[in-house]
Amino acid sequence: MNVVKIAIIGAGFSGLGAAIKLRQEGIDDFVILDRGQNFGGTWRDNTYPGAACDVPSHLYSYSFAPNPTWSRSFSEQPEIHRYINNVAAKNDLESYTRWNTEVTGIVWNEADGQWVITTSAGEYRANFVIAGVGPLCEPKLPDLKGIDDFAGEIFHSARWNHDYNLEGKRVAVIGTGASAIQIIPELAKKVGRLDVYQRTAAWVLPRLDRPYSNTESWAFKNIPGFQTAARAGIYASRELVSFGLTHAPGVLAPAKVLGKQNIARGISDRKLRAAVTPKWKVGCKRILLSNTYYPALNQANVDLVTDPIKEVTTTGIVTADGVARDVDAIVVATGFHVTDSPAFEHIIGKDGSSLAQVWESTGINAYKGTTVHGFPNLFLMVGPATGLGHTSIIYMIESQLNYLVDYLKLQRKYDIARVEVRSDVQHDYNVGIQKNLKSSVWETGGCASWYKDVFGNITTLWPGFTFRYRHITRKFDLAAYDTSSAAATGARTSAAPVTSHPATETVTS
Ligand SMILES: Cc1cc2nc3c(=O)[nH]c(=O)nc-3n(C[C@H](O)[C@H](O)[C@H](O)COP(=O)(O)OP(=O)(O)OC[C@H]3O[C@@H](n4cnc5c(N)ncnc54)[C@H](O)[C@@H]3O)c2cc1C
């Protein structure tokens, strides 16, 4: 058994960022547990052809680890993966990390004031857990009749089988979301025939992607403030989109025009154009960016199939209209378990209920997307209501890290051993979140999306400007929490009240 002060689960942007902050705070008694074999999370696992970020790299990277050598505006997976591993190396984090370590249980032990963490590589105990298990980490397979009987090759976009040669083959891609629209143009270049199965069309806007010129690269490296200014410019333009998403969907009308122009530019056939034109408002589902997706659909070797899939047979896919299309391989690009991540079943709180069970009855929610009543000493990275449809999640992760760092300072100051958000505070906070969501395009835009949980509530997205979230996480508001000191570990009494901190905060944007 290994005992540490803090266990970080996950070695993606969240876990790595947390580890860097711990080291900066002088904390070395921590471990990072990850089932993979190197840093990167999303960017280690998603190696499909065409994988790239959809927020420009100067913003989709840590503010505290700027990279002046990004080769293009929207970097591809290998470059992002390299960046993350370079940051980890610079901060000397390899020795803190346990690879090939699948976490199977995270159980709070009230008597000991510890989390008991069971893994594929033994047991860990930690006073505090930072769960950076990823919002889009667990591949979701479609629930299709016969899918297990398919005799050809089948894999999920996030588990690409590079050993299988798709050259000249008959291939089906199920899904037309963010990953699919990156994969399809790459496959269209080399497969014999490609069937694209679309359930709902997405708005796909032009992607302002280009390599940086030598002069720009020189400037990023040598002109003080140039890179910061570029980052700020990208951030500001993306926040304007946020206003449209959350308050005034009408503001996004020009985006619809751009989307329609993108369709008209890429596709010549009127019927196909109609089939890829969404029926819902821009922003209701994630806005996608591509210059190559529509031209790929326009290719002679590519077919868009809009009839619902009836079943998968041993040789291919049959749609509701009775048409059978045989294929050699199926690429499943149907996204991830977001609101039903298995990680939520593994985390068991003070009452013996899992996070999944608690959320089944209350709906998915947390305080500031980070802490949950009943789960002491636990920080969820990219927790409920912190997701974004328009800008870099790393901005939110860094906000959470500020909150974490401020907590660690207070923890030391007041010798806190146990911290648990008050249920009334968590409740009120989430009433504010849901109120702010009412006017958002996600509620009013006329789509069904993975943003919603089984109750139909939007539990994944931050409703407002991201700088509002930065503001409410700048300080750890102890008044929102029940705490007990090290001397009283296990007792439910509060530590000395901290009055210098703001009382609870609700969200208004
Ligand atoms: C293809 C793709 C493109 C994306 N592009 C963007 C973008 O452009 N902009 C943007 O803002 N966001 C994007 N995202 C969202 C992306 O998930 C986040 O930006 C970010 O990478 C999340 O980092 P994370 O560390 O929180 O999670 P992840 O990167 O998912 O890392 C989670 C880590 O936890 C580990 N883990 C999980 N469960 C366990 C367990 N039980 N035991 C042990 N280890 C475990 C995993 O192995 C993984 O290493 C994209 C997502 C995908 C899938």
Side-chain angles (χ1 to χ4, degrees):
M1 192 203 7
N2 307 277
V3 182
V4 287
K5 183 180 162 99
I6 300 177
I8 300 172
I9 325 283
F13 270 117
S14 292
L16 172 60
I20 291 169
K21 294 296 168 185
L22 292 189
R23 292 214 62 198
Q24 286 172 356
E25 284 304 297
I27 297 171
D28 278 319
D29 187 11
F30 71 90
V31 69
I32 306 172
L33 308 173
D34 197 293
R35 61 189 175 202
Q37 283 157 33
N38 55 59
F39 291 95
T42 296
W43 300 101
R44 178 198 64 216
D45 294 343
N46 287 267
T47 59
Y48 59 76
C53 55
D54 53 18
V55 171
S57 293
H58 283 293
L59 185 61
Y60 190 63
S61 47
Y62 296 119
S63 65
F64 53 80
N67 174 21
T69 66
W70 290 119
S71 63
R72 55 190 312 117
S73 43
F74 292 87
S75 301
E76 292 171 0
Q77 175 269 334
E79 195 172 1
I80 305 172
H81 188 214
R82 240 183 350 263
Y83 163 79
I84 298 175
N85 279 280
N86 286 344
V87 174
K90 273 195 189 127
N91 288 277
D92 202 13
L93 289 171
E94 185 71 32
S95 61
Y96 294 86
T97 314
R98 307 290 170 265
W99 301 119
N100 301 310
T101 303
E102 171 96 33
V103 173
T104 50
I106 309 172
V107 181
W108 177 250
N109 181 323
E110 187 72 58
D112 296 341
Q114 275 184 331
W115 287 101
V116 180
I117 303 159
T118 45
T119 81
S120 56
E123 188 177 292
Y124 287 79
R125 282 171 187 251
N127 175 250
F128 201 90
V129 165
I130 300 167
V133 291
L136 306 178
C137 192
E138 302 287 349
K140 185 174 187 164
L141 297 172
D143 188 15
L144 291 173
K145 187 178 159 206
I147 195 164
D148 294 333
D149 302 327
F150 179 63
E153 184 65 25
I154 181 164
F155 49 84
H156 189 275
S157 56
R159 301 286 182 271
W160 198 267
N161 180 0
H162 291 277
D163 294 334
Y164 183 79
N165 185 4
L166 290 158
E167 198 90 38
K169 300 271 175 25
R170 298 165 304 167
V171 181
V173 172
I174 303 179
T176 52
S179 296
I181 68 145
Q182 294 184 337
I183 292 167
I184 288 161
E186 296 305 311
L187 291 190
K189 286 179 202 161
K190 62 175 171 188
V191 301
R193 204 191 77 223
L194 183 61
D195 299 329
V196 175
Y197 288 84
Q198 169 188 285
R199 194 167 57 179
T200 21
W203 283 109
V204 183
L205 306 190
R207 185 177 171 87
L208 305 176
D209 184 26
R210 61 182 181 83
Y212 287 121
S213 67
N214 289 343
T215 316
E216 283 171 302
S217 297
W218 181 88
F220 285 133
K221 217 170 175 171
N222 296 298
I223 300 180
F226 188 71
Q227 193 181 359
T228 314
R231 183 180 171 99
I234 301 165
Y235 175 76
S237 64
R238 298 262 162 167
E239 284 308 281
L240 278 181
V241 176
S242 155
F243 183 68
L245 292 173
T246 47
H247 295 294
V251 169
L252 297 174
K256 185 172 174 180
V257 175
L258 284 176
K260 285 195 159 181
Q261 283 172 349
N262 210 20
I263 293 170
R265 211 172 12 244
I267 296 177
S268 45
D269 178 65
R270 281 171 65 113
K271 262 178 141 174
L272 185 55
R273 281 183 186 174
V276 297
T277 304
K279 314 245 177 314
W280 36 270
K281 288 187 187 161
V282 175
C284 186
K285 287 186 177 206
R286 193 173 177 88
I287 300 171
L288 308 181
L289 305 175
S290 177
N291 304 328
T292 52
Y293 173 59
Y294 293 133
L297 292 184
N298 205 39
Q299 279 183 217
N301 64 333
V302 180
D303 274 332
L304 182 78
V305 184
T306 53
D307 271 297
I309 296 176
K310 185 174 152 226
E311 62 178 325
V312 179
T313 63
T314 52
T315 55
I317 296 177
V318 181
T319 40
D321 56 0
V323 177
R325 293 175 180 84
D326 282 355
V327 284
D328 303 303
I330 300 176
V331 174
V332 181
T334 43
F336 300 86
H337 290 280
V338 181
T339 54
D340 57 348
S341 168
F344 306 151
E345 285 160 30
H346 297 155
I347 304 175
I348 314 286
K350 67 175 186 186
D351 296 332
S353 304
S354 70
L355 204 44
Q357 285 167 328
V358 169
W359 282 345
E360 247 167 57
S361 56
T362 63
I364 296 176
N365 70 89
Y367 182 56
K368 298 189 175 177
T370 307
T371 51
V372 181
H373 180 72
F375 297 81
N377 294 11
L378 174 73
F379 256 56
L380 299 175
M381 299 301 296
V382 199
T386 59
L388 302 170
H390 66 293
T391 189
S392 171
I393 196 69
I394 297 171
Y395 185 87
M396 303 300 270
I397 290 173
E398 287 193 32
S399 302
Q400 291 192 284
L401 296 179
N402 291 344
Y403 199 56
L404 172 71
V405 165
D406 202 52
Y407 169 68
L408 293 171
K409 290 186 198 309
L410 294 173
Q411 189 272 328
R412 257 199 297 249
K413 185 170 173 189
Y414 296 107
D415 194 20
I416 298 167
R418 186 184 185 286
V419 63
E420 179 185 2
V421 69
R422 286 166 30 199
S423 62
D424 59 324
V425 172
Q426 187 181 328
H427 174 265
D428 293 351
Y429 175 83
N430 283 286
V431 169
I433 291 275
Q434 290 304 323
K435 198 168 139 230
N436 282 349
L437 280 164
K438 285 280 171 280
S439 58
S440 75
V441 68
W442 308 304
E443 281 288 1
T444 62
C447 69
S449 80
W450 57 262
Y451 292 150
K452 296 185 180 182
D453 70 3
V454 287
F455 298 105
N457 290 325
I458 297 165
T459 55
T460 44
L461 290 167
W462 170 250
F465 294 111
T466 57
F467 53 76
R468 258 306 286 161
Y469 186 70
R470 177 62 57 95
H471 181 73
I472 65 164
T473 46
R474 76 203 180 285
K475 288 279 175 206
F476 190 84
D477 41 352
L478 262 189
Y481 291 82
D482 287 326
T483 55
S484 53
S485 65
T489 307
R492 299 287 173 84
T493 52
S494 278
V498 181
T499 49
S500 59
H501 278 75
T504 59
E505 288 175 85
T506 48
V507 195
T508 47
S509 51

